[in-house]
Amino acid sequence: MSSPSKRRDMDVMKLMMTDYKVEMINDSMTELFVDFNGPPDSLYSGGVWRVRVDLPDAYPYKSPPSTSSIESTIPTLTKHLINIFEVFLPQLLLYPNPSDPLNREAGALMMKDQISYDQKVKEHCARYAKVEDTGEGMQESDESEEENEDSNEEYSSEDEIEVEGI
């Protein structure tokens, strides 16, 4: 059996060899950003999210906190870092649980008015989940910085979701 650090490095390298854009933070194999595309044929299709990944020291032996509750029912789900982006996150988006939501307002809206919920998701994807929001394709000019500031006026930390522990 390999050491946790070798396994972590191998899993990060495998993730980097996929189509996902992976950016290491401070040249560390334990902290990264991964650009995640919304699942095709879903409300999130076309959206791109920058997911921050913080791998625990005991990865993969210590379950990430956000996946530990379902690991007992799907034991292979968190065995590889790639599965988090290919299986776990798409499943969360495709099959949300409105009775136990991360965002209570969204969960209540989904249970009360599915059509309004769908429209709200599409609006948020169009507004906050664009490729340029991940830092890709941004021009370094005063004009583009001004446009960016104008488009993010209503953006708050509540609009950002950080995934810790994976």
Side-chain angles (χ1 to χ4, degrees):
M1 187 175 287
S2 63
S3 72
S5 63
K6 285 182 183 178
R7 168 66 187 275
R8 179 199 59 229
D9 293 354
M10 183 176 68
D11 280 1
V12 169
M13 293 304 292
K14 284 181 182 178
L15 184 63
M16 292 174 89
M17 292 188 300
T18 66
D19 291 336
Y20 296 105
K21 181 182 173 210
V22 179
E23 180 182 320
M24 290 189 286
I25 301 170
N26 299 322
D27 295 323
S28 169
M29 295 290 265
T30 61
E31 298 176 88
L32 5 140
F33 286 118
V34 179
D35 290 355
F36 172 74
N37 294 301
D41 301 323
S42 76
L43 296 173
Y44 303 92
S45 180
V48 181
W49 290 266
R50 175 157 275 208
V51 179
R52 181 185 170 106
V53 177
D54 291 321
L55 296 170
D57 290 337
Y59 173 88
Y61 304 114
K62 179 181 178 194
S63 297
S66 59
T67 60
S68 59
S69 62
I70 63 165
E71 188 175 73
S72 59
T73 56
I74 308 174
T76 60
L77 184 61
T78 60
K79 298 302 180 196
H80 297 284
L81 187 56
I82 290 173
N83 287 344
I84 291 182
F85 293 95
E86 292 183 353
V87 179
F88 181 70
L89 289 176
Q91 292 296 313
L92 284 175
L93 294 176
L94 292 169
Y95 306 105
N97 182 358
S99 61
D100 187 21
L102 177 63
N103 179 326
R104 290 181 187 177
E105 183 181 329
L109 181 60
M110 184 180 187
M111 290 193 303
K112 179 181 157 193
D113 185 353
Q114 183 71 44
I115 293 170
S116 294
Y117 170 81
D118 292 354
Q119 184 60 37
K120 185 82 123 175
V121 168
K122 289 176 185 177
E123 288 171 10
H124 275 78
C125 286
R127 186 170 200 173
Y128 300 111
K130 298 176 287 201
V131 172
E132 56 268 21
D133 293 335
T134 64
E136 203 173 281
M138 295 187 74
Q139 299 173 3
E140 291 191 30
S141 70
D142 292 335
E143 187 177 311
S144 66
E145 285 178 20
E146 287 174 15
E147 288 173 18
N148 229 5
E149 287 174 12
D150 292 341
S151 67
N152 288 328
E153 281 178 4
E154 297 178 32
Y155 179 81
S156 72
S157 61
E158 293 176 9
D159 296 321
E160 184 176 304
I161 296 176
E162 184 174 303
V163 180
E164 294 182 15
I166 39 179

